[in-house]
Amino acid sequence: MDVLEKLTILTDAAKYDAACTSSGGNRTARKGYIGNTSSSVAGCCHTFSADGRCVTLLKVLMTNRCVYDCKYCVNRRSNDTRRAAFTPEELADLTINFYRRNYIEGLFLSSGVFRSPDYTTELMIKALRLLREQYRFNGYIHAKAIPGTAPELVEQLGLLADRLSVNIELPSETGLKTLAPDKTKTAILSPMRQIQVRNQQNKEELVKYRHAPKFAPAGQSTQLIVGATPDSDFHILRLTQGLYDRYRLKRVFYSAYVPVVEHALLPSKDIKPPLLREHRLYQADWLLRFYGFRAEELLDEDHQDFDPRVDPKCSWALTHLDFFPVEVNTADYESLLRVPGVGVVSARRILSARRAGPLHIENLPKLGVVMKRAQYFLTASGKMPDGLRFTPDSLLRGLIAAERPSLPQQELVQLSLFDTAV
Amino acid sequence: MMNHEMIYFYDGSFDGFLCCVFDSYANKEVLTAISRDEDFIPTLFASRVIVTDRSHANRVFKKVVKVSPYAANLLQKGFLTCMPEKEIHLYHLVVKLLRDGPGFLRNFSDETLFPVITAVRHLNGEAHLLKGFIRFSELGGVLGSEIEPKNRVLPVLRSHFCARYMNDRFFIYDRTHKEALFYAAGKAMIRPLEDFQMAPPDDAEAAYRVLWKRFYDTIAIKERYNPKCRMRNMPKRYWNTMTEFQDEAFFRSQNSLAAVPDPSAPNGIPAPATPPGSGLSAPESGS
Ligand code: SF4
């Protein structure tokens, strides 16, 4: 089988992984090496695929052979599909040549479980070592740590990669038991803990010895599949929060379940991937990481799922009208961030601009405030926008309309289904 | 007394622009327009042709740096942007800075600052996208690339690519502004270049192009197909210099007449090819 065919099979098998960023990397250019990763290219997309997703890394599997039989996965043992495996040389050559042409920012290497987790990881290590040592590759590497891999091998992997990830995939233990019978919660969580502890240690080492080898300096991430199991948004968001708090994850990715197989325990094959739900979870995730929200503020036992009609921040605002309006000339940063239509950037600009003089409503759009949303929730020098009148009802309608243009088409189709139900 | 309604003509260089500022102070004149020599048209307004004098330019720049290094950076960046009448906007910024001090620079919505900062953000945004969208071809050990940006991004892109390909030789040709960034042996320079045609690929280069296109066509998830979202994130004007959007000829090696493997994936979503002629290059033999 030639490399073109292998690439086709192993890309096709890897495409369901949502992670594709080079964030958190920091390798300055070195003489004799090719490449650099710095914060200046964080969020650098090298292209966008036909589904509108950012492509940063060469995202492939080492092999799609797998001894496991996770029900939701195209690579599962029992699925009749073509199998292929890269040799370490082929993979290193592809990566370096794509990188030189600026097709990619680096490599995202994952794999099916070939023979055993250890055997697979050793293969991956071989490829990455070749890339780093022989090809002197100084770009970004994201490697998957396979549950059940020996700690010594995870350690080696971490010394070669910028970021490691262990995918949880199914957000609950019941889901795991029924749909991924070969994996256990402990097998997933123990490498996560190892990476976290080792990462922390490494930070201390680096303070003492500047040249200590770096262990996964860009931290770790994970992925949760949304919609393959009956788990609620509240459950998923609380799990996410726990991962950020207790495992110091850099990112949690969500992947709307794409039904690839017919199985009694899975949603039917003609169901559409829940893209709007995935979108709402990303918005909420953003609120946890940058806006100081807690999962319990956004959802609770009585409201287990996000309102499909408005984003989570608007949703929160609508149920906390007594918090508003916020006066932009006096409010602190945290309060500004609670205003729908005010983001991290515009909140900072407000803080800076108001030191030069009092702000008025007319200044706000230029500072990046999205007035369509923000107008209902703030005052500037004591005033709301001229002529603004609203009732709770028209407020809701206004907010729905304000978000609509920024939602992708498919999500609108889903949304209109909800509209008729209102 | 200040003389109003003056138009200055200059040579189009940054130093030349700074000299316009210098001379306007020296002559106590307030400018309504600053234009390049080549755009000279006889007008009813009083006008002056400014001669570029490096020492004058330096004095202005040093003065600006002293008052606000941030403003100096805005001037340099602003001058690279495609903002219409950028010179007069930048001139107003300097005048206000020297008159009122740097306080207004904190206020993003300030009427003098806003157009400049918006233009600079557009420049930075375009440069940021191009850090990802630029495609190199390797020919005879040299990496070459062509772009068609709206702003003059090469000075902004320079340090990024020079660090990334430190041990390589490369160039980036800017078709819009007819200039190129050259890098070899640790040295980089940007020079005007009237015309440039990329040679057709050799076997190895053609093979990697095919591999990349195949990867691109395979990585999308069909059930999530969303061309609008793609277009929003990656405006079409960038496509014609990107490998994955080229038509068949682009993937054919100069050495072999043999059929190339079809670059598009059997089960993938083939990327639309940009219309012929707008591709990276017209094949040219003997280079
Ligand atoms: S172990 Fe990974 S590749 Fe194998 S079946 Fe499970 S999810 Fe798929």
Side-chain angles (χ1 to χ4, degrees):
Chain A
M1 196 185 285
D2 67 5
V3 177
L4 183 63
E5 218 176 329
K6 288 186 183 179
L7 177 68
T8 315
I9 294 172
L10 296 170
T11 301
D12 196 46
K15 69 185 177 193
Y16 299 101
D17 214 301
C20 194
T21 79
S22 64
S23 55
N26 193 7
R27 296 172 177 272
T28 41
R30 290 165 71 187
K31 214 169 168 48
Y33 285 76
I34 173 167
N36 57 341
T37 28
S38 64
S39 55
S40 81
V41 286
C44 178
C45 296
H46 283 254
T47 189
F48 286 83
S49 45
D51 52 15
R53 295 190 302 167
C54 164
V55 179
T56 299
L57 306 172
L58 170 61
K59 181 160 58 182
V60 287
L61 301 188
M62 191 77 218
T63 175
N64 65 339
R65 297 196 180 103
C66 192
V67 294
Y68 286 179
D69 206 35
C70 308
K71 304 279 178 290
Y72 54 84
C73 176
V74 278
N75 304 316
R76 71 194 184 284
R77 182 182 65 220
S78 59
N79 192 24
D80 180 24
T81 182
R82 292 192 70 199
R83 308 282 170 172
F86 281 125
T87 64
E89 290 75 18
E90 286 166 344
L91 189 69
D93 179 79
L94 259 183
T95 308
I96 208 84
N97 276 291
F98 276 16
Y99 190 83
R100 294 192 73 210
R101 287 164 178 77
N102 204 44
Y103 298 164
I104 53 170
E105 203 57 32
L107 173 67
F108 178 7
L109 186 59
S110 179
S111 185
V113 184
F114 184 33
R115 294 195 199 161
S116 70
D118 284 358
Y119 186 84
T120 315
T121 306
E122 276 172 21
L123 264 181
M124 290 167 66
I125 289 171
K126 220 174 141 199
L128 298 188
R129 185 157 288 151
L130 196 65
L131 199 51
R132 288 280 192 228
E133 288 167 12
Q134 211 144 312
Y135 288 79
R136 309 201 139 214
F137 178 64
N138 197 37
Y140 196 86
I141 294 178
H142 177 165
K144 199 66 86 53
I146 295 167
T149 304
E152 311 84 78
L153 294 175
V154 174
E155 165 76 18
Q156 286 182 45
L157 202 60
L159 291 173
L160 293 161
D162 293 274
R163 170 168 287 180
L164 291 178
S165 62
V166 188
N167 276 6
I168 296 181
E169 305 287 18
L170 301 171
S172 63
E173 221 176 336
T174 4
L176 215 55
K177 274 201 188 109
T178 48
L179 297 174
D182 308 297
K183 291 183 192 160
T184 62
K185 190 172 148 193
T186 358
I188 293 171
L189 293 181
S190 72
M192 274 175 110
R193 184 62 82 199
Q194 183 195 344
I195 295 164
Q196 182 206 351
V197 170
R198 187 62 182 84
N199 220 249
Q200 191 50 45
Q201 247 178 22
N202 190 230
K203 282 205 186 98
E204 288 155 23
E205 286 165 11
L206 283 165
V207 173
K208 277 189 236 153
Y209 323 97
R210 214 160 53 84
H211 296 291
K214 288 186 182 164
F215 181 88
Q220 62 172 326
S221 64
T222 192
Q223 165 169 292
L224 300 171
I225 299 177
V226 180
T229 50
D231 303 301
S232 69
D233 290 347
F234 186 41
H235 177 85
I236 293 175
L237 202 65
R238 269 211 299 204
L239 176 60
T240 298
Q241 183 167 283
L243 292 168
Y244 287 139
D245 290 352
R246 289 199 297 278
Y247 287 82
R248 298 274 151 226
L249 256 59
K250 284 287 188 298
R251 281 296 298 273
V252 173
F253 292 93
Y254 308 92
S255 175
Y257 174 65
V258 179
V260 282
V261 280
E262 202 65 72
H263 193 282
L265 295 170
L266 284 167
S268 128
K269 225 183 150 177
D270 41 51
I271 235 157
K272 292 253 179 310
L275 296 180
L276 182 59
R277 192 174 165 208
E278 179 194 277
H279 185 64
R280 293 280 179 247
L281 279 164
Y282 272 116
Q283 289 175 320
D285 182 270
W286 206 257
L287 295 179
L288 297 187
R289 287 187 300 139
F290 302 112
Y291 287 74
F293 277 88
R294 301 291 295 169
E296 296 74 19
E297 290 183 273
L298 298 169
L299 294 169
D300 54 51
E301 293 300 337
D302 300 324
H303 306 88
Q304 295 256 347
D305 292 297
F306 286 113
D307 188 334
R309 300 168 302 168
V310 283
D311 69 73
K313 195 175 168 189
C314 284
S315 228
W316 181 85
L318 286 170
T319 49
H320 295 80
L321 288 175
D322 52 333
F323 184 84
F324 300 102
V326 164
E327 167 56 48
V328 293
N329 284 296
T330 51
D332 58 11
Y333 179 66
E334 287 71 24
S335 307
L336 286 172
L337 280 183
R338 296 257 153 171
V339 179
V342 175
V344 172
V345 175
S346 46
R348 288 215 192 102
R349 282 189 195 143
I350 289 173
L351 293 186
S352 167
R354 75 189 188 191
R355 284 193 289 152
L359 294 175
H360 304 282
I361 290 289
E362 322 70 272
N363 299 125
L364 299 179
K366 285 188 176 167
L367 295 174
V369 176
V370 183
M371 289 307 282
K372 270 191 181 166
R373 254 174 270 169
Q375 58 183 351
Y376 310 104
F377 302 104
L378 49 73
T379 55
S381 304
K383 286 205 188 107
M384 292 192 111
D386 285 340
L388 182 70
R389 300 266 177 287
F390 59 92
T391 61
D393 237 26
S394 67
L395 172 56
L396 177 62
R397 265 182 280 123
L399 291 174
I400 293 173
E403 195 198 15
R404 183 154 295 211
S406 67
L407 286 179
Q409 265 170 319
Q410 283 157 317
E411 285 158 17
L412 286 181
V413 178
Q414 292 184 28
L415 201 55
S416 59
L417 291 178
F418 291 109
D419 277 357
T420 50
V422 180
Chain B
M1 206 189 99
M2 295 290 247
N3 201 343
H4 285 270
E5 313 268 296
M6 278 300 281
I7 299 181
Y8 278 12
F9 289 94
Y10 78 117
D11 63 2
S13 70
F14 186 56
D15 280 351
F17 160 72
L18 293 172
C19 288
C20 293
V21 177
F22 185 92
D23 287 17
S24 77
Y25 277 87
N27 302 329
K28 295 194 176 12
E29 285 165 342
V30 174
L31 310 185
T32 48
I34 301 176
S35 294
R36 298 166 68 120
D37 291 340
E38 52 207 62
D39 302 328
F40 181 86
I41 29 154
T43 106
L44 291 175
F45 298 120
S47 68
R48 221 185 257 287
V49 174
I50 302 304
V51 182
T52 302
D53 176 331
R54 261 218 118 142
S55 67
H56 288 173
N58 281 341
R59 276 169 63 186
V60 174
F61 197 69
K62 277 206 186 111
K63 174 78 183 168
V64 174
V65 172
K66 214 173 131 201
V67 182
S68 161
Y70 170 63
N73 184 269
L74 277 182
L75 278 192
Q76 284 176 312
K77 284 263 185 94
F79 197 74
L80 300 173
T81 66
C82 59
M83 165 170 55
E85 298 176 70
K86 62 182 181 213
E87 296 90 347
I88 202 72
H89 285 289
L90 297 173
Y91 164 77
H92 287 316
L93 190 78
V94 179
V95 170
K96 185 159 184 169
L97 182 74
L98 299 184
R99 191 187 60 213
D100 301 349
F104 75 99
L105 295 171
R106 279 198 197 133
N107 181 7
F108 203 89
S109 63
D110 177 86
E111 60 184 4
T112 309
L113 178 63
F114 187 70
V116 175
I117 218 165
T118 308
V120 169
R121 289 185 66 210
H122 181 242
L123 161 79
N124 287 339
E126 187 173 41
H128 181 76
L129 289 181
L130 281 169
K131 276 183 189 172
F133 297 162
I134 282 186
R135 296 286 176 265
F136 287 93
S137 298
E138 179 170 357
L139 285 165
V142 179
L143 298 170
S145 162
E146 291 177 86
I147 52 175
E148 277 176 12
K150 286 187 177 162
N151 300 281
R152 286 182 59 200
V153 291
L154 289 181
V156 186
L157 292 175
R158 178 186 181 137
S159 64
H160 171 73
F161 284 105
C162 290
R164 174 152 296 192
Y165 302 125
M166 194 189 251
N167 308 292
D168 275 294
R169 285 180 294 160
F170 74 85
F171 66 87
I172 302 171
Y173 180 57
D174 175 344
R175 287 184 195 158
T176 319
H177 306 92
K178 302 200 182 301
E179 58 181 9
L181 164 65
F182 298 93
Y183 174 89
K187 286 213 174 60
M189 57 181 189
I190 295 172
R191 289 282 177 276
L193 184 62
E194 222 10 78
D195 191 27
F196 172 76
Q197 294 282 313
M198 187 95 76
D202 60 16
D203 289 349
E205 175 57 30
Y208 287 115
R209 288 180 182 180
V210 171
L211 283 161
W212 172 246
K213 172 142 174 68
R214 179 65 66 87
F215 174 78
Y216 180 82
D217 289 345
T218 310
I219 196 74
I221 297 174
K222 269 193 197 142
E223 291 83 348
R224 302 181 65 125
Y225 181 62
N226 193 343
K228 260 201 185 159
C229 178
R230 167 168 66 184
M231 201 103 79
R232 196 174 48 231
N233 287 315
M234 181 171 62
K236 237 185 173 150
R237 69 185 182 90
Y238 293 104
W239 293 16
N240 69 342
T241 49
M242 295 172 77
T243 309
E244 52 272 39
F245 298 108
Q246 303 304 308
D247 58 12
E248 247 176 90
F250 185 76
F251 299 90
R252 211 173 292 138
S253 156
Q254 57 180 352
N255 305 326
S256 77
L257 296 168
V260 282
D262 183 0
S264 51
N267 290 313
I269 308 175
T274 42
S278 62
L280 258 182
S281 62
E284 198 191 28
S285 55
S287 52

